[in-house]
Amino acid sequence: MNQVVRAARGIGWYFRELMGDNAYRNYLASWRRTHPSADGCDVGTGNGPMTEREFWRARTDDQDANPGPRCC
């Protein structure tokens, strides 16, 4: 049973990574690694990490400005 749960979690992780659902979480983790002294409480103030809404807006704007290969 433990192996089934582990496999299901791995498959879930794979699809979240593939679809980009973990992008904001990965951004926050990266931000915390590069700003170890900040506590992250000032999200969206310009001194801390972007809010999730700001992150997705910036990501969409970047994709529109720099279109890469797309499948559809």
Side-chain angles (χ1 to χ4, degrees):
M1 186 65 171
N2 197 15
Q3 291 178 342
V4 172
V5 171
R6 187 174 176 183
R9 286 182 181 161
I11 291 169
W13 172 86
Y14 177 77
F15 279 104
R16 284 190 300 276
E17 289 291 329
L18 184 68
M19 302 304 290
D21 291 351
N22 291 338
Y24 183 68
R25 188 178 323 162
N26 293 340
Y27 160 74
L28 286 178
S30 173
W31 191 91
R32 288 185 184 115
R33 279 193 306 273
T34 57
H35 302 84
S37 60
D39 60 4
C41 292
D42 44 0
V43 173
T45 62
N47 296 326
M50 292 185 276
T51 63
E52 188 167 1
R53 184 181 182 107
E54 292 170 338
F55 171 80
W56 288 111
R57 171 63 17 211
R59 184 176 166 131
T60 302
D61 289 347
D62 183 59
Q63 288 175 340
D64 289 344
N66 305 302
R70 296 184 180 173
C71 66
C72 306

